[in-house]
Amino acid sequence: MGIANERLSYEAQTQKSKQHMERAKRVMPGGMTANIKHYAPYPITIQRANGCRLYDLDGHEYIDFLMGYGALMLGHGHPQVKKAIENQLLQDGTWLFGTPHDKEAAFAERLQHYFPSVERVRYTNSGTEANLLALRLAMAYTNKYKVAKFEGHYHGAIDSLLVSVSPTESEAGAHTSPLSVADSGGMNHERLVDTIVLPFNDPVSCEQILTEHKDELGAVIIEPIEGGIIEPHHEFIKKLREVTNRLGIVLIFDEVKTAFRSSMGGAQAVYGITPDITTMGKVIGGGFPFGVVGGKAEIMELSSPLSGFDFFADQHADRSSKALFHSGTYNGHPMILAAGLATLDVLDEQYNSLLKRTETFKQALCQLFASYNIPAQTVGRGAMFSVLFTDVEDIANYRSLKHLNTAFRNDLDRALFSEGSM
């Protein structure tokens, strides 16, 4: 009865969103262009935003705790980011050159200040694209064409990586040797043999699996903080770096979620680990589509047009030594780089204050739930965290999340929504 009343209340509050979704379904599958944005019975439709506030079609105001899945660290419509975009348009006279421009090198130099491991940089248009390029670089460098990734880790909708992100217990296999499980229809299951799945925070099992497949594996890719919230044990992340070095496997840190959120230098600065390749996105785009691949010069230079292969050369020319091809009309978009530079300027000024406020908020939440005898943890690092309702003390990996009280969390989320929080 209570749930039915809540549903009626939700639908009564969001009639214009409901009407919009009915309209949208006639032109888009499910009424949207990203599956993750769906929730039952239908998502609200936002009309405008400012700062930490969202306003839906029905005129209701919400506090936005999601912030574009991490892309809007400064909130909606930050004045310094707006000003940077305006200045770029006025000074450059266009929003796209289609040629090299000075902000490309300037932004790369800025990234190197925070991430010393990033000796060379390439730009993409999303974190997914960044991870795709990172894999190609690793495989070109090692001449090995399998990849290892961790159970529960998301790296974008790439066939070789959209594997065992959220397998069921019956699909997943043993913890010490997880199975490769496709997370989407339309994937070629024969290619699953090219993806090796590893258990997070299990250094012994990881070393055994990597050693067994060392002659096939070109890369290991990892969210150094799983899902942006589950931290690696120190001995695990240190061992992973040692093993990949010893076995000649490229180590890729997917810091799309963690760069400038776990710390200004990302998770690699927090744990003192130097990966071979780093991918980034989200925060540094200032709310625009953006991705970065950076890493060791000897690996990154494989993508250089000066390395011997001219894509536009005579088709009969000798191409026995091919450079890795990477291109994109919008790579290094000047407007996005201007927004990104402005975002980094603000973070430089306010990051320490942000961390203090985050810790105060986390402690207050823990005290609140404890006062009601509700088992809860705030897990995460830096400016990013989540509230997990569980008695389990050590949240070590994806399988630990199976023990959460998700029913309570869903009820809480709906109650918060009714109070104007998202």
Side-chain angles (χ1 to χ4, degrees), residues 51-69:
C52 66
R53 310 279 174 173
L54 294 170
Y55 303 87
D56 69 10
L57 290 177
D58 291 274
H60 301 299
E61 177 184 293
Y62 305 89
I63 299 174
D64 184 2
F65 284 97
L66 188 59
M67 286 298 168
Y69 299 93

Side-chain angles (χ1 to χ4, degrees), residues 18 41-42 59 63 72 180 185 221 229 239 241 323 340 358 383 401:
K18 182 179 181 180
Y42 53 83
I63 299 174
L72 291 165
S180 296
I221 187 167
I229 57 173
K239 185 68 172 179
R241 176 67 284 188
T358 302
L401 301 179

Side-chain angles (χ1 to χ4, degrees), residues 158-163 181-190 192:
I158 304 165
D159 275 9
S160 57
L161 297 179
L162 195 61
V163 174
V181 180
D183 280 278
S184 173
M187 292 173 60
N188 185 346
H189 285 245
E190 293 181 1
L192 290 179

